Amino acid sequence: MRLLRAVLVSIGLTLSVAGLIVAQDDPDRTLQGGQTTIFNDTPNAFSFHTPGLSREQRLLFFVGNSFFNQNWVTAPSSTEARDGLGPLFNSRSCAGCHFKDGRGRPPEFDGEAPTGYLVRLKIPERTLSGAYLGDPNYGGQFQTDALERIAAEGDLRITYVELPGQYADGTPYSLRQPIVTLENLNYGDLDPEMTFSPRVANQMIGLGLLEAVPEETLLALADPTDADGDGISGRPNWVWDAYNNRRAMGRFGWKANQPHLLQQVASAFNGDLGITTGLLPLQNCTAVQADCTAAIHGGMPEISDDDLLKVVLYAQTLAVPAQRNADDPLVQRGRVLFVEAQCSTCHVETLTTGIHPEVPALSHQTIHAYTDLLLHDMGEGLADGSPDFEATGREWRTPPLWGIGLIETVNGHTYFLHDGRARNLAEAILWHGGEGAASAEAFRTMSADDRAALLALLESF
C-alpha cells in the first residue's frame, strides 16, 4: 500500500495549494471538460481517454479498461489476476453496472435481473467513523447474486404507482413512484429499523476533473444556513477517508459518501463484485452467512494494489464529450431559462480544477459539469429515509449534468434520478422538491415552447 499512500498524500497536499489558483473564464462552454474535451456523440462517447495523457498513462488506461470490462471469475482459477469474484455480489464486472462507462437502470419488467441497480441497507447505529451500520444479517448492500452452492441474499422487486399531474397550460403528465421490496430472503429477517436506498450506477465521465476541483471552491459554494435567503442551502457531506484515516469532504456517490476515487473504486469492488483490496481487505459476509465466510478467496487482497490503481486511473481519465448544438436558438433560449428557473444555483455551470497530482492533463481546466458536489434537501418525494454520514434521508448530492444528453445513445434508455424512476428529463425535473421545488414549479408553469427549450439545453449536454 506504500504507493497508494504516496498518491493520497499527494492529492491532499496539492489540492489545498490549488485553492490559490485563479479561475479563468472559458468563453466556449461547449468544451465541457475544458481542454480535455473530446468530440464524439456515438454509442462509445463515454469510453475514450482524456487527451494529453503520457504514453505510459495511455498504456495503464487500456489495462485498467480490461480490468473494468472483463468478468471476474471464481477462485481458484488459472486467471489469477481476475479471480476472487464474490462469494456474494451484484455484478461480475464493473461494466456490468456501467455499460459502456454509462448509466445503469432499474429492471424494466418483473423478473428481469438488475443491471446497474442495487439497494443499500442501513440501520440507525453508527461506527466511530460516523458511518451507519448495515443490516446485521445482510450487510450494507443487498446482493442478488452468488457463487455456485452459495445462496444469494434474495430478490428485489419493483412496482410503480402512477402519480398524475398537469402543467399550467393543461398538458397532463404522470410521474411513477417506485415501491421496492426485498423478497425470498435467505439469511433471516431484515432488521425492523432497517432503511434501504435503491441506486442506479452513474456515468463515469469526468471523474478525475471533479476530483481535482479544490475543496475551497466547493466550500465557497456552500450555504448551510441559507444565509442569502434564496431557499437553497447546499452543504458538504463530511465522511471518513479510510486510507488517510481522517475525516474528509465527500464528493462521489449519490450522497457524496466517498472522498476520492481510490475509495470509490475500492468500495465498488468490495460491495458490487465481492473483490477485496488492500484498502478494504475483508469479504462482505455477515456473521450468519457461514458459506460466504468459508468460501475460497482469490488472494489477500484479490486485486493487487498496482492493478487497483490502474482501474482508478481509468476512472480518473474517461473524457467528457463536448456539448452539442450550442448555437441552436432553442438551446440558447434554454440556457436563459436554466438560469431564470434557478437550476444553475445547484447545477453550477463552471468550475476550475486545481493541480491533479497524477494526471497533469486534468490540471487547471475550466470545466462545465453543472454541479456543486454539495448535498441538498430534495423533498419528501425523493427521500429514501436512509442517512449516509451527514447526509439526511432527504438529501442528495447535485449530480453532474454533463453527458446526460447522450445517455440514450450510449445506454439505450432515458431513466434518470438516483433510482431511475424518471422516464425522461421532464419527469426528472418535476420530481425536484425541497430546495429544488421552485425550479420544478418554474418548469411546470412554463409554456410548452419554453419547456422544450430547457429540455433542448439539457439534451445538448
Side-chain angles (χ1 to χ4, degrees), residues 232 334-349 370-372 376 398 401 429 432 435-436 438-440 442-443 446 454 457-458 461:
I232 296 172
R335 187 175 296 281
V336 173
L337 294 165
F338 187 76
V339 175
E340 289 180 354
Q342 289 193 298
C343 308
S344 58
T345 306
C346 301
H347 291 285
V348 174
E349 178 181 312
Y370 300 92
T371 178
D372 57 9
H376 295 274
T398 307
L401 298 182
I429 298 170
H432 282 52
E435 297 174 40
S439 296
F443 178 70
M446 286 179 186
L454 184 56
L457 173 72
L458 299 178
F461 288 159

Side-chain angles (χ1 to χ4, degrees), residues 157-438:
R157 183 165 182 260
I158 309 171
T159 56
Y160 294 96
V161 175
E162 291 291 335
L163 305 175
Q166 193 174 69
Y167 290 105
D169 63 8
T171 304
Y173 63 78
S174 183
L175 304 179
R176 59 175 190 170
Q177 174 77 53
I179 300 172
V180 179
T181 55
L182 306 182
E183 302 177 341
N184 304 319
L185 301 175
N186 287 316
Y187 296 97
D189 294 334
L190 293 160
D191 189 281
E193 294 188 278
M194 187 274 299
T195 59
F196 60 85
S197 180
R199 314 277 177 90
V200 297
N202 228 327
Q203 60 266 36
M204 298 287 296
I205 56 173
L207 299 181
L209 291 166
L210 296 179
E211 190 173 50
V213 175
E215 184 174 297
E216 301 90 306
T217 298
L218 302 176
L219 292 176
L221 297 171
D223 184 18
T225 60
D226 191 22
D228 63 7
D230 67 353
I232 296 172
S233 55
R235 66 190 185 110
N237 192 6
W238 293 101
V239 304
W240 190 249
D241 181 339
Y243 190 82
N244 288 310
N245 200 33
R246 63 177 175 84
R247 188 171 175 259
M249 182 179 172
R251 60 177 72 200
F252 297 106
W254 283 104
K255 287 189 182 252
N257 66 348
Q258 298 294 349
H260 43 69
L261 286 174
L262 172 62
Q263 191 162 310
Q264 173 73 39
V265 172
S267 297
F269 266 118
N270 189 261
D272 302 350
L273 279 71
I275 303 292
T276 61
T277 63
L279 186 61
L280 300 174
L282 301 179
Q283 293 285 3
N284 51 14
C285 309
T286 66
V288 302
Q289 295 170 339
D291 289 343
C292 176
T293 303
I296 297 174
H297 58 72
M300 299 176 68
E302 290 170 321
I303 181 171
S304 71
D305 294 345
D306 283 348
D307 289 340
L308 175 64
L309 283 178
K310 291 166 189 167
V311 182
V312 173
L313 176 75
Y314 178 76
Q316 287 172 328
T317 57
L318 284 164
V320 179
Q323 184 190 8
R324 300 157 309 287
N325 308 318
D327 295 332
D328 185 327
L330 195 63
V331 171
Q332 293 179 344
R333 171 64 181 157
R335 187 175 296 281
V336 173
L337 294 165
F338 187 76
V339 175
E340 289 180 354
Q342 289 193 298
C343 308
S344 58
T345 306
C346 301
H347 291 285
V348 174
E349 178 181 312
T350 304
L351 298 169
T352 302
T353 67
I355 296 173
H356 197 290
E358 298 96 52
V359 188
L362 301 177
S363 302
H364 307 317
Q365 296 297 323
T366 300
I367 62 175
H368 307 293
Y370 300 92
T371 178
D372 57 9
L373 298 181
L374 299 175
L375 297 173
H376 295 274
D377 183 337
M378 295 305 293
E380 193 59 31
L382 288 177
D384 62 0
S386 190
D388 201 336
F389 287 97
E390 295 187 8
T392 70
R394 291 166 56 105
E395 287 181 314
W396 299 95
R397 182 198 69 156
T398 307
L401 298 182
W402 53 16
I404 61 169
L406 286 168
I407 295 296
E408 185 170 13
T409 300
V410 173
N411 294 121
H413 68 79
T414 56
Y415 298 120
F416 295 104
L417 297 177
H418 65 278
D419 55 5
R421 70 177 64 188
R423 290 165 290 200
N424 51 56
L425 290 169
E427 289 186 18
I429 298 170
L430 291 165
W431 268 111
H432 282 52
E435 297 174 40

